[in-house]
Amino acid sequence: MNQILITEKLYITPELKRQKKLYKIDFIISVFLLCLLFSYYIYAEFDKYSGEKKAQEILANMEVQEIEDMQSTYVYDDTTIRIEDNERMVVILSEEDAETTIDPDNLNPSTATTTTPNTSNTYTPKNVLTAESGDQYYSIAKINIPKIDLSYPILDHWSDELLKISPCKFHGANPNEVGNFCIVGHNYRNSMFFSKVPTLENGDIIEIADNYGRKINYVVYDKHVVSEDNTKDTSQITHGKKEITVITCTNDNKNRVIVKAREQGT
């Protein structure tokens, strides 16, 4: 019996005790990190679905606003003042990508490549919302892609915060105007936002409905991948045509998927 006790005592050395204690600490740390990662995953998924819910609420409010506008005597746009006969016109010179404001009474048709309604800082859009950061935003159009069952509002400008709410205008012309209307949205690698945009092919239809009640179908004519710092596809030289550029991330988030589409029939 004494021999057995001595043998057990010899095996349980201070080094073994120290190692056992370290194993326990490592186990506790591993469990803590696992819980932390799991909590982060849950938060990230909740954040995604919160954005999806918010986007659909904005879309529903836009549809209600459309009905009210149709019943109204005057037609208003959510991003500009009411269209007046004597409003000024913004002319984009396609060769220089520059904007010049001119008097419509002296407009020379040979020099104008596109016109857009006058924007005014004194006009407050009807559907102005405020993000948690205090940033104000509003919807300027709707994008619908039947092939991938996609329908979202397009917000008037982009930021990291707003991209979590809905696709945003990234650059370029106003919706359904001559020029290149660039739209950016997240790829969550599921069914939300622009996750399925990389599956689009030439010939697919993208619908843009603006706040004037105009709906234009755009036909996809090109899709390619560029680095995140490559902005060549945002050029406004469209030779007098209406185009859109849809931008999202690749599945590995390292590059950008670019989908180009042009007004159907042009």
Side-chain angles (χ1 to χ4, degrees):
M1 177 65 72
N2 289 337
Q3 182 66 33
I4 295 173
L5 292 174
I6 292 171
T7 302
E8 290 181 352
K9 187 173 183 181
L10 289 174
Y11 277 115
I12 306 174
T13 63
E15 178 64 21
L16 288 175
K17 289 182 178 179
R18 188 182 71 82
Q19 290 182 1
K20 188 176 181 180
K21 186 175 182 181
L22 289 175
Y23 289 150
K24 287 182 179 179
I25 294 173
D26 289 343
F27 177 76
I28 292 173
I29 292 175
S30 298
V31 171
F32 173 76
L33 291 176
L34 185 63
C35 292
L36 187 65
L37 290 173
F38 186 68
S39 299
Y40 176 79
Y41 173 78
I42 292 176
Y43 172 78
E45 289 299 308
F46 176 77
D47 198 35
K48 293 176 185 178
Y49 283 98
S50 296
E52 172 74 14
K53 181 179 179 182
K54 184 65 176 178
Q56 294 306 320
E57 288 176 354
I58 295 172
L59 192 63
N61 289 335
M62 290 179 70
E63 292 171 352
V64 170
Q65 189 63 58
E66 284 179 359
I67 295 174
E68 292 178 353
D69 286 344
M70 289 174 63
Q71 296 173 343
S72 176
T73 303
Y74 300 102
V75 178
Y76 285 84
D77 173 57
D78 283 340
T79 60
T80 62
I81 61 172
R82 181 167 60 88
I83 301 175
E84 300 285 351
D85 291 337
N86 294 324
E87 69 177 359
R88 294 186 301 170
M89 305 174 73
V90 177
V91 177
I92 299 178
L93 305 179
S94 62
E95 295 302 322
E96 300 178 3
D97 270 1
E99 293 190 358
T100 305
T101 303
I102 64 174
D103 187 338
D105 294 332
N106 297 320
L107 178 64
N108 183 350
S110 64
T111 64
T113 59
T114 183
T115 60
T116 59
N118 177 44
T119 56
S120 172
N121 293 330
T122 62
Y123 177 77
T124 303
K126 294 181 180 180
N127 58 342
V128 174
L129 299 171
T130 304
E132 291 184 2
S133 65
D135 186 15
Q136 290 190 323
Y137 64 95
Y138 45 90
S139 53
I140 57 174
K142 295 185 294 184
I143 181 171
N144 181 41
I145 308 179
K147 180 181 178 179
I148 57 177
D149 193 28
L150 181 151
S151 185
Y152 286 102
I154 303 172
L155 306 185
D156 68 299
H157 67 283
W158 75 276
S159 68
D160 289 340
E161 183 179 29
L162 295 186
L163 283 172
K164 294 180 180 180
I165 297 174
S166 194
C168 304
K169 177 181 178 178
F170 179 70
H171 180 70
N174 289 327
N176 294 335
E177 297 291 342
V178 172
N180 182 13
F181 177 40
C182 303
I183 313 159
V184 63
H186 275 312
N187 175 3
Y188 285 133
R189 297 178 295 280
N190 51 28
S191 60
M192 295 187 302
F193 286 38
F194 281 178
S195 298
K196 293 184 178 180
V197 162
T199 67
L200 294 178
E201 300 173 340
N202 288 357
D204 289 337
I205 299 297
I206 301 176
E207 301 172 356
I208 300 293
D210 61 36
N211 291 326
Y212 288 109
R214 300 174 299 184
K215 180 186 289 186
I216 293 179
N217 288 342
Y218 295 83
V219 182
V220 175
Y221 68 87
D222 184 37
K223 181 180 73 174
H224 55 275
V225 176
V226 299
S227 61
E228 62 179 351
D229 58 349
N230 189 330
T231 59
K232 66 181 179 64
D233 290 293
T234 64
S235 170
Q236 294 304 297
I237 301 177
T238 63
H239 305 291
K241 296 183 181 296
K242 299 177 182 179
E243 294 193 3
I244 60 173
T245 298
V246 180
I247 307 167
T248 193
C249 295
T250 52
N251 287 339
D252 60 9
N253 201 38
K254 292 181 179 179
N255 294 303
R256 302 294 177 261
V257 176
I258 305 294
V259 175
K260 306 281 291 183
R262 186 177 292 123
E263 183 180 10
Q264 191 172 39
T266 61

